[in-house]
Amino acid sequence: MGISSRMIPTEDASNRKREIEEKLRQEQETLSFIRENLEKSDQQTKGMVSILSSFESRLMQLENSIIPVHKQTENLQRLQENVDKTLSCMDHVISYYHVAKDTDRIIREGPTGRLDEYLACIAKIQKAVEYFQDNNPDSPELNTVKARFEKGKELLEAEFRSLLTRYSKPVPPILILDAISVDDELEVQEDVVLEHLPEAVLQDIICIAGWLVEYGRNQDFMNVYFQIRSNQLDRSIKGLKDHFRKNSASSGILYSPAVQTKRKDTPTKKAPKRPVYIPGTIRKAQNLLKQYSQHGLDGKKGGSNLTPSEGYDHDLRVKHLTDALTEKHGAAAGKDDVLDIEIDSYIHCISAFVKLAQSEYALLAEIIPEHHQKKTFDSLIQEALDNLMLEGDNIVSAARRAIMRHDYSAVLTIFPILRHLKMNKSEFDSTLQGTAASTKNKLPTLITSMETIGAKALEEFADSIKNDPDKEYNMPKDGTVHELTSNAILFLQQLLDFHETAGAMLASQETSSSASSYTSEFNKRLLSTYICKVLGNLQLNLLSKSKVYEDSALSAIFLHNNYNYILKSLEKSELIQLVTVTQKKAESSYRELIEQQIQMYQRSWLKVTEHLTDRNMPVFQQGTKLKDKERQVIKDKFKGFNDGLEELCKIQKGWAIPDKEQRDFIRQAQRRVVSDTYRAFLHRCANISFTKNPEKYHKYRPEEVEEMIEKLFDTSA
């Protein structure tokens, strides 16, 4: 057992030794392999180093041989490029010497019909000029191309003038009227396009203008532009005037609807309303009334053939006056028509000027450089504007001369014009914005002149109403409305149509601090004060004129008729609203005056009814015989009543009270008073025997007396 145990460790050690020896052998083999590889690697490295060294040597040799060649090639290429550039420059320079010859034909033939080609030739010439100026300023070629350039520029300017002249036409009057018309039925107004030049022509003109500004260094074309367009603007406005004179004189139609131009799918609509005054008949009626005052309707001074049934309808009165005077005063009426046409024409021309000027500025803005536009536009509109202002000054001068002749109706021609000028002043100012101060001040100066002469006419008219002489031959024999009253009311009614203008006209002459800021209410009060002044002057004058009548009853009828006519006219024309602004009780005051005159007239019947009173009437008892003296008293009362009744009825039958309502009222009141008094008198005398021939004194029954009174103020009875 002991031996076996010792032998086991020995065997393990042998095995361990063998293993170690085996590993050692393997490691030795691996080391040998590595050594062999290292030796091979060293050999390969040496080989590679040798190769690289050889390659580097060869590269150095190649570089030493290639670089000189490369540099030589670069130099050759540079030389080639320089040669090419030199040749190109020579060709370019040589081309400048041929520009004059190459462009000669096109320049001589001008730019018409080939503007682009022409401008291209001009550009070549311009470059040649620049070349010779920079490189050879003393060469004859420079003068040649300069001359050719100037010739080309002249022909461009000529083409600019030619195109403008050939295609600039006056705007047709009908198109202008359509452009300035206003249609209240359309919520959005359609702007009528005023095409001044065809689009292709406009583009050529814009192109030429642009070239002349940029290269031509010439502003003369702007003068050409404003001269030609100014002439067309003026001709357009004059054409509109001629349209009015021809068409209005022949047909009486002041507006012709324009052809539907520049509108797409425009529905059929009524003729547009014109934004201006339409001549009325009030001013004509006033002139006719003045003629009536000189001749009378029947050819006799002071005569009147207005029947009582005509009443106080002043339009009807005007119609009768017009009909009566048409034959005798046709020439005068014709002058009024011409004046109406001239006024309406002038008002249209003001609106046309604004519209055309705006259109011209829009055209000008496309052609003229921005910094020259305002000045050119200022020059362009001067002729047309000056003509309009001159015509306005002539209207003012004519009104001034008429006022000096005491023809105050002339001021009525100013009102519609002045109103239109003031209504369009803001648009006028906007259109002239940027023009010279002298240009912008022309319209305000004209407005001031019109306001001044208008205010003077109004004041002198008021004074003329107050100072109209009391001519006996000029008084209506029938006590009807005096021509002065008719004229004054007609004049005031015309002011009603232009109340804002008239108020502002009066306010323009105010120097008080309260007038520093004119308001509509302030102007309205001024006009109300003026109307009350005229009515007050008229009342004073009528009172003075009434004293011309010897018969106080006729004087009362005269004042009654005039006061009643004034009141009814004020109420009918709404003048009463203006009057009551400053005189609240004006209406009641006139009614009191009318009532006073009725009472004054009724006193004329006292000399008839006083015979029917109990004064001096004898006291008697039934069955008592009257004394001769007492019978005579009763006879005298009957006779006095009969004679007075017949005399008054005969006289007053020829008097006139045109207002049917007032006429009936006065008749009924007088009939009632006289009839009641007469019946009472007859009742008292019923049982009195004062004569053997009672029918001699008891000539009229009460019913007959009433019939006689019912025929008062009736010349046909």
Side-chain angles (χ1 to χ4, degrees):
M1 285 293 292
I3 296 174
S4 297
S5 54
R6 283 194 298 268
M7 290 180 65
I8 291 171
T10 302
E11 187 175 346
D12 291 337
S14 297
N15 291 336
R16 180 70 178 164
K17 180 177 178 184
R18 284 194 296 272
E19 289 176 1
I20 293 171
E21 289 176 351
E22 181 64 26
K23 287 182 180 180
L24 179 61
R25 186 182 59 80
Q26 291 177 353
E27 292 293 337
Q28 288 175 346
E29 289 177 357
T30 301
L31 179 61
S32 298
F33 179 75
I34 292 172
R35 285 176 178 172
E36 290 176 0
N37 287 336
L38 284 174
E39 289 176 357
K40 289 179 180 179
S41 176
D42 288 341
Q43 292 175 0
Q44 290 176 353
T45 300
K46 290 179 181 179
M48 182 61 69
V49 169
S50 176
I51 291 170
L52 289 175
S53 298
S54 175
F55 184 72
E56 181 180 8
S57 174
R58 291 178 181 179
L59 281 177
M60 289 180 63
Q61 292 177 0
L62 180 62
E63 182 179 355
N64 291 334
S65 61
I66 289 300
I67 287 176
V69 175
H70 176 69
K71 290 182 178 179
Q72 186 177 5
T73 302
E74 283 184 344
N75 291 335
L76 290 174
Q77 288 177 342
R78 191 177 299 111
L79 290 174
Q80 180 65 38
E81 289 175 359
N82 290 339
V83 170
D84 292 341
K85 288 181 180 179
T86 302
L87 291 174
S88 177
C89 289
M90 290 295 295
D91 291 340
H92 183 65
V93 170
I94 292 171
S95 68
Y96 288 136
Y97 288 86
H98 297 288
V99 164
K101 179 180 178 181
D102 294 342
T103 59
D104 179 66
R105 180 181 61 82
I106 295 177
I107 296 300
R108 280 189 294 101
E109 292 177 356
T112 304
R114 51 177 176 184
L115 182 60
D116 293 339
E117 182 182 4
Y118 189 85
L119 290 177
C121 287
I122 291 287
K124 291 180 181 179
I125 296 172
Q126 187 176 7
K127 289 180 180 179
V129 171
E130 294 172 354
Y131 170 80
F132 288 118
Q133 283 178 337
D134 294 339
N135 298 281
N136 196 359
D138 298 328
S139 65
E141 286 80 5
L142 175 60
N143 295 330
T144 301
V145 291
K146 268 188 174 181
R148 190 59 48 83
F149 181 80
E150 292 300 322
K151 179 65 176 178
K153 186 170 72 171
E154 289 177 7
L155 291 177
L156 274 177
E157 293 171 352
E159 179 71 2
F160 184 86
R161 178 188 294 273
S162 175
L163 288 174
L164 269 180
T165 304
R166 192 183 321 141
Y167 292 99
S168 290
K169 304 296 181 184
V171 180
I174 291 177
L175 192 59
I176 296 176
L177 287 171
D178 204 27
I180 63 178
S181 66
V182 176
D183 192 345
D184 294 338
E185 294 183 1
L186 293 180
E187 294 183 1
V188 179
Q189 297 297 324
E190 294 185 53
D191 289 333
V192 178
V193 178
L194 300 178
E195 186 180 84
H196 298 287
L197 297 169
E199 183 61 28
V201 174
L202 175 60
Q203 293 305 318
D204 283 352
I205 290 175
I206 293 173
C207 187
I208 294 174
W211 188 94
L212 290 174
V213 170
E214 185 174 359
Y215 303 109
R217 305 293 191 271
N218 188 356
Q219 297 181 7
D220 291 342
F221 78 95
M222 300 182 195
N223 297 330
V224 172
Y225 179 85
F226 88 70
Q227 289 169 2
I228 294 174
R229 294 307 306 171
S230 174
N231 180 260
Q232 297 307 320
L233 174 62
D234 190 52
R235 287 177 61 191
S236 296
I237 295 177
K238 287 179 179 177
L240 181 62
K241 290 181 184 177
D242 293 339
H243 174 80
F244 270 86
R245 289 169 183 161
K246 293 176 183 178
N247 290 274
S248 300
S250 61
S251 64
I253 299 174
L254 298 180
Y255 176 80
S256 300
V259 179
Q260 301 298 331
T261 306
K262 299 292 180 184
R263 296 181 179 181
K264 297 181 179 179
D265 303 325
T266 303
T268 303
K269 57 185 180 66
K270 297 180 181 178
K273 297 180 181 179
R274 293 171 291 122
V276 292
Y277 133 94
I278 302 176
T281 59
I282 294 181
R283 184 179 55 75
K284 294 181 183 179
Q286 188 177 16
N287 293 336
L288 290 171
L289 284 167
K290 289 188 176 182
Q291 298 167 11
Y292 156 67
S293 69
Q294 298 172 2
H295 303 285
L297 294 179
D298 56 0
K300 299 177 182 179
K301 292 180 178 179
S304 173
N305 68 351
L306 290 179
T307 64
S309 62
E310 287 173 11
Y312 281 126
D313 188 333
H314 89 274
D315 292 332
L316 182 59
R317 181 180 179 88
V318 167
K319 181 180 184 300
H320 284 290
L321 288 169
T322 305
D323 293 342
L325 289 167
T326 297
E327 184 175 353
K328 291 184 178 181
H329 304 286
K335 292 180 180 179
D336 288 336
D337 291 336
V338 171
L339 182 58
D340 281 333
I341 294 169
E342 291 298 325
I343 294 171
D344 206 21
S345 171
Y346 184 71
I347 290 173
H348 274 86
C349 287
I350 291 293
S351 296
F353 171 80
V354 174
K355 184 65 68 175
L356 289 172
Q358 292 171 348
S359 179
E360 286 291 344
Y361 190 82
L363 178 66
L364 175 146
E366 296 188 72
I367 299 172
I368 305 299
E370 184 176 358
H371 54 288
H372 292 288
Q373 289 174 3
K374 294 295 184 181
K375 182 179 178 181
T376 305
F377 178 68
D378 196 345
S379 301
L380 189 155
I381 62 174
Q382 282 303 314
E383 183 177 4
L385 181 60
D386 286 343
N387 288 339
L388 283 177
M389 296 302 107
L390 177 61
E391 189 172 349
D393 290 337
N394 290 339
I395 293 172
V396 172
S397 299
R400 185 178 291 110
R401 291 191 299 269
I403 292 168
M404 292 176 64
R405 299 191 305 268
H406 306 293
D407 177 12
Y408 303 107
S409 63
V411 73
L412 300 179
T413 63
I414 290 179
F415 277 105
I417 296 174
L418 180 58
R419 179 174 68 178
H420 190 71
L421 290 178
K422 297 183 78 170
M423 286 175 57
N424 288 271
K425 185 177 181 300
S426 60
E427 189 173 9
F428 213 101
D429 292 342
S430 176
T431 302
L432 300 185
Q433 186 178 6
T435 59
S438 58
T439 302
K440 290 186 285 190
N441 289 335
K442 288 181 179 180
L443 181 66
T445 300
L446 177 60
I447 289 176
T448 300
S449 298
M450 287 189 171
E451 286 184 330
T452 301
I453 194 65
K456 181 181 179 183
L458 291 178
E459 290 302 321
E460 291 195 12
F461 175 76
D463 293 339
S464 72
I465 295 297
K466 181 179 180 180
N467 301 320
D468 187 71
D470 305 329
K471 298 177 181 179
E472 184 175 354
Y473 68 81
N474 199 32
M475 296 295 290
K477 295 178 181 180
D478 56 2
T480 189
V481 178
H482 196 278
E483 55 165 324
L484 180 67
T485 304
S486 299
N487 286 353
I489 294 299
L490 286 171
F491 190 91
L492 294 180
Q493 286 172 338
Q494 188 75 348
L495 292 187
L496 185 64
D497 294 336
F498 302 96
H499 61 93
E500 292 181 0
T501 304
M505 186 181 286
L506 293 169
S508 68
Q509 306 305 305
E510 290 290 313
T511 56
S512 63
S513 58
S514 62
S516 59
S517 57
Y518 301 144
T519 63
S520 178
E521 187 62 29
F522 177 78
N523 296 350
K524 188 176 182 180
R525 290 188 65 82
L526 278 181
L527 182 58
S528 175
T529 301
Y530 173 78
I531 293 174
C532 291
K533 178 181 178 181
V534 172
L535 293 176
N537 290 349
L538 178 60
Q539 184 176 336
L540 291 174
N541 196 299
L542 289 173
L543 188 61
S544 175
K545 289 182 185 300
S546 68
K547 296 176 182 178
V548 172
Y549 294 111
E550 296 179 358
D551 192 327
S552 61
L554 180 56
S555 176
I557 289 296
F558 170 77
L559 290 176
H560 164 273
N561 284 334
N562 282 272
Y563 292 155
N564 191 54
Y565 177 81
I566 293 171
L567 177 60
K568 291 293 180 67
S569 298
L570 293 179
E571 291 175 336
K572 179 177 180 180
S573 64
E574 297 182 0
L575 274 170
I576 194 67
Q577 280 85 346
L578 267 178
V579 172
T580 53
V581 170
T582 52
Q583 289 194 8
K584 303 295 184 183
K585 299 182 179 180
E587 190 172 357
S588 60
S589 297
Y590 273 110
R591 295 193 187 282
E592 289 176 7
L593 289 173
I594 293 169
E595 182 60 30
Q596 289 173 8
Q597 299 309 316
I598 292 176
Q599 293 175 5
M600 186 67 70
Y601 161 75
Q602 290 174 341
R603 292 176 188 174
S604 68
W605 283 85
L606 292 177
K607 63 182 180 181
V608 175
T609 58
E610 67 179 356
H611 296 288
L612 306 179
T613 63
D614 291 338
R615 187 168 60 86
N616 298 327
M617 192 71 175
V619 180
F620 60 92
Q621 296 179 354
Q622 188 71 24
T624 304
K625 186 177 181 181
L626 296 177
K627 298 178 181 180
D628 292 340
K629 183 179 180 180
E630 293 174 335
R631 285 196 299 270
Q632 189 61 42
V633 169
I634 295 175
K635 290 178 181 179
D636 290 342
K637 283 183 176 290
F638 268 106
K639 187 176 185 302
F641 172 77
N642 293 335
D643 292 345
L645 176 65
E646 291 170 355
E647 180 184 2
L648 281 185
C649 288
K650 180 180 179 181
I651 293 173
Q652 295 184 8
K653 183 174 66 174
W655 297 354
I657 300 181
D659 188 330
K660 185 178 184 303
E661 181 181 346
Q662 286 290 310
R663 183 169 66 246
D664 292 343
F665 172 77
I666 292 175
R667 281 174 176 171
Q668 291 173 8
Q670 203 58 51
R671 183 181 63 186
R672 183 172 60 254
V673 171
V674 175
S675 177
D676 291 349
T677 306
Y678 187 50
R679 289 178 190 275
F681 178 75
L682 291 179
H683 181 72
R684 288 196 303 273
C685 299
N687 298 320
I688 300 176
S689 178
F690 62 91
T691 178
K692 294 180 179 179
N693 299 310
E695 66 278 358
K696 178 180 178 181
Y697 298 98
H698 188 183
K699 293 176 63 174
Y700 301 105
R701 292 179 293 106
E703 292 77 14
E704 291 175 326
V705 171
E706 291 178 353
E707 290 178 2
M708 293 173 68
I709 295 175
E710 192 64 32
K711 294 178 181 179
L712 295 177
F713 317 116
D714 187 357
T715 56
S716 64

